[in-house]
Amino acid sequence: MHIILVEDDAQLGAAIQRALERLAYTVSWLRDGREALIALRDETADLVLLDLGLPGKDGLDVLVEARRSHVTTPVIVMTARDGLQARVHGLDAGADDYLIKPFHLDELCARIRSLSRRAQGLAVNRIEVGALTLDLGTSQVTFRGEVIELTRREFALLQILLERAGKLVRRESLINSLYGLDNVVGDNALEVLVHTLRKKLGYDTVRTVRGFGYMIPREPA
Amino acid sequence: MHIILVEDDAQLGAAIQRALERLAYTVSWLRDGREALIALRDETADLVLLDLGLPGKDGLDVLVEARRSHVTTPVIVMTARDGLQARVHGLDAGADDYLIKPFHLDELCARIRSLSRRAQGLAVNRIEVGALTLDLGTSQVTFRGEVIELTRREFALLQILLERAGKLVRRESLINSLYGLDNVVGDNALEVLVHTLRKKLGYDTVRTVRGFGYMIPREPA
DNA sequence: TGCCGGCTTAAGAAGTGCTTATGGCGCAGT
DNA sequence: ACTGCGCCATAAGCACTTCTTAAGCCGGCA
């Protein structure tokens, strides 16, 4: 999952980026409003964290202009401006959620999770496919009723595959979501990860589509 | 589909080449501006990825000169972070799209897909012709409602034929798109490839036009 | 009949993915 | 700060698939 973070404060930006990357999100950190607008229009991100006090271009303007261009990417607005005034404006402008600084990272993560779920038209923070259950709130996975312990990377991989269950997910797409571009990763890192996941979930849950990628079938074969 | 990549940075160039080849594109990687101009003038590529900071000759000059020579090949310009200025110039000079470094490969691939489709006047990520469906997002092909497993080469061939469905596609054009310039390949590699594809899709989907090439008819005969 | 272009098949080469082992790194507990 | 442990990326060897080449075939046409 790819998140665009728009934040001009160096310290806060770095902290958020670090925290999110630790949760296996891929983060592109932009400091400038103009850049942010361009990036938003591309619609390559799954979610945008937008600070309102920006140089170059005000955050609200960015949001308004993006929505005017029919960009539907979920946006969480972050602002230091306390007060209901700014908040109302933010939601009017098309924000999906709202955080008032200072906030706890825990809270931010929870919002991200619920928003990315909601964006897929699901009400609950839980994905069930066949004998598999993945709970995004508690980060717990069960398989045939038993709780399975997964590492962060394994969890992230499984989440992507389950969100697109029944569809093939390209290698490239997986590598990008899991590792990002900057982090050029060895050729078989993904394969090793798939291997460890299969060890825990049985060897027929994740299907290989040679030359293209992987998928988890919606109906067990 | 054949892409010319013009990039002097060894690491980035290699990364992009690897990534694109993994997606079954054929990539010719050039490091020099002069070379790039020559290659562009040949018009053998379907798309060009052009870095602006180049030794030998500036990227923008290459682009301007190529356009002056009536080269219409789509060009995506890649430029460093600070280059908003350069971006405007790039589009003025005749670029079809641009990317700000560092960018995610996802983004690059999306641009490539949309650009190559725009060039053909198609809007969607899916091509349907007769009983055939080809989904570029998931790399899946269905024939008479059933999912067909294709290898990457077969997929690439089918994609080209479907994108030009109803029109004859010349042998050389196919070989060039599938194998690139450098990669000189035996003369019947294509025929073998067509053969395996026909085995999976039935023998009357791909029609041979003796002496010229192949085509997939828009209306089943 | 003989030639040319394309088809088919088989086999070796190249590529892709799986598996296991190894070592580095960060985090927690002392 | 030191140590132990778990996570994760890398590397190397193996199995299997896919690709290219080569060789022989068929059918149309002069």
Side-chain angles (χ1 to χ4, degrees):
Chain A
M1 164 134 150
H2 182 205
I3 296 177
I4 291 180
L5 166 64
V6 190
E7 169 64 65
D8 61 313
D9 183 277
Q11 218 176 340
L12 182 60
I16 294 175
Q17 182 176 40
R18 215 179 321 118
L20 292 180
E21 284 180 343
R22 208 175 296 159
L23 294 168
Y25 295 115
T26 308
V27 179
S28 302
W29 175 18
L30 309 177
R31 287 138 224 249
D32 182 65
R34 250 179 281 271
E35 266 185 315
L37 185 54
I38 293 168
L40 252 167
R41 286 226 173 92
D42 287 341
E43 298 197 75
T44 54
D46 301 299
L47 190 137
V48 178
L49 293 175
L50 180 65
D51 182 32
L52 286 194
L54 284 175
K57 202 168 211 338
D58 184 70
L60 267 186
D61 291 352
V62 171
L63 181 54
V64 170
E65 283 196 44
R67 292 297 188 225
R68 198 177 293 152
S69 313
H70 306 289
V71 172
T72 59
T73 313
V75 173
I76 297 179
V77 156
M78 308 178 290
T79 182
R81 288 175 226 167
D82 46 2
L84 216 62
Q85 188 82 6
R87 175 170 186 188
V88 171
H89 283 151
L91 292 175
D92 280 352
D96 297 84
D97 209 338
Y98 203 83
L99 279 168
I100 294 176
K101 295 180 186 177
F103 50 81
H104 283 274
L105 282 179
D106 278 349
E107 191 173 356
L108 174 59
C109 297
R111 305 274 179 105
I112 289 174
R113 277 196 303 270
S114 83
L115 202 51
S116 60
R117 294 278 67 222
R118 209 197 301 161
Q120 321 234 317
L122 293 164
V124 238
N125 279 6
R126 159 185 293 220
I127 314 172
E128 294 185 45
V129 174
L132 271 168
T133 318
L134 183 144
D135 192 312
L136 290 160
T138 62
S139 293
Q140 250 193 2
V141 172
T142 62
F143 179 58
R144 300 199 226 274
E146 301 201 4
V147 175
I148 306 281
E149 296 293 330
L150 293 184
T151 68
R152 275 201 309 273
R153 281 255 190 270
E154 290 160 5
F155 188 86
L157 170 63
L158 183 60
Q159 182 182 343
I160 296 170
L161 289 174
L162 285 180
E163 277 169 349
R164 305 192 205 162
K167 291 181 189 166
L168 168 66
V169 186
R170 284 169 181 272
R171 273 185 86 79
E172 262 314 307
S173 178
L174 284 170
I175 289 176
N176 269 331
S177 299
L178 292 169
Y179 304 103
L181 172 63
D182 331 309
N183 232 336
V184 178
V185 87
D187 270 25
N188 76 336
L190 177 60
E191 287 150 33
V192 175
L193 187 60
V194 168
H195 177 65
T196 62
L197 186 61
R198 290 211 253 234
K199 254 200 231 171
K200 296 183 182 177
L201 299 178
Y203 286 81
D204 42 358
T205 40
V206 180
R207 244 188 57 207
T208 305
V209 182
R210 196 163 228 277
F212 295 97
Y214 297 91
M215 71 172 274
I216 292 182
R218 202 152 254 300
E219 304 290 321
Chain B
M1 163 129 153
H2 182 211
I3 296 175
I4 290 180
L5 166 65
V6 190
E7 168 65 64
D8 60 312
D9 182 277
Q11 213 176 345
L12 184 60
I16 294 175
Q17 182 176 41
R18 211 177 327 115
L20 293 179
E21 284 180 344
R22 216 176 285 163
L23 294 169
Y25 295 115
T26 310
V27 180
S28 302
W29 174 18
L30 309 177
R31 286 137 225 250
D32 183 63
R34 254 178 278 275
E35 264 185 315
L37 185 55
I38 293 168
L40 254 168
R41 285 225 174 92
D42 286 341
E43 298 198 73
T44 53
D46 301 300
L47 189 135
V48 179
L49 292 174
L50 179 65
D51 183 35
L52 286 195
L54 284 175
K57 201 167 210 338
D58 184 73
L60 267 187
D61 292 353
V62 171
L63 181 54
V64 170
E65 283 195 44
R67 291 299 187 223
R68 198 177 292 151
S69 313
H70 306 289
V71 172
T72 58
T73 314
V75 173
I76 296 179
V77 157
M78 305 181 290
T79 178
R81 164 173 288 278
D82 48 19
L84 205 70
Q85 188 81 6
R87 181 208 161 195
V88 175
H89 287 150
L91 291 176
D92 282 351
D96 296 84
D97 208 341
Y98 77 99
L99 278 166
I100 294 178
K101 295 181 186 178
F103 49 81
H104 282 262
L105 283 179
D106 264 349
E107 206 173 300
L108 175 59
C109 298
R111 303 279 179 98
I112 289 174
R113 276 201 301 273
S114 87
L115 201 53
S116 60
R117 249 173 298 117
R118 203 197 301 165
Q120 321 234 318
L122 289 163
V124 255
N125 244 12
R126 156 185 293 219
I127 311 173
E128 295 185 42
V129 173
L132 271 168
T133 317
L134 184 144
D135 190 314
L136 293 163
T138 62
S139 301
Q140 268 186 346
V141 172
T142 62
F143 180 57
R144 300 199 226 275
E146 298 199 9
V147 175
I148 306 282
E149 303 284 337
L150 294 184
T151 69
R152 265 193 304 180
R153 279 259 133 90
E154 290 159 6
F155 186 89
L157 169 63
L158 183 61
Q159 182 181 344
I160 296 170
L161 290 175
L162 285 180
E163 277 169 350
R164 311 220 218 300
K167 293 177 191 165
L168 167 65
V169 186
R170 291 179 168 278
R171 284 183 75 82
E172 316 99 63
S173 172
L174 283 170
I175 289 176
N176 190 29
S177 296
L178 290 168
Y179 303 103
L181 293 171
D182 337 310
N183 231 333
V184 180
V185 87
D187 37 348
N188 81 333
L190 177 61
E191 287 151 31
V192 175
L193 187 60
V194 168
H195 179 238
T196 61
L197 186 61
R198 289 211 254 236
K199 255 201 227 170
K200 296 184 180 177
L201 298 179
Y203 285 81
D204 42 358
T205 38
V206 181
R207 185 176 301 168
T208 305
V209 182
R210 216 183 153 76
F212 296 97
Y214 298 90
M215 71 171 273
I216 292 181
R218 201 153 257 298
E219 301 291 320

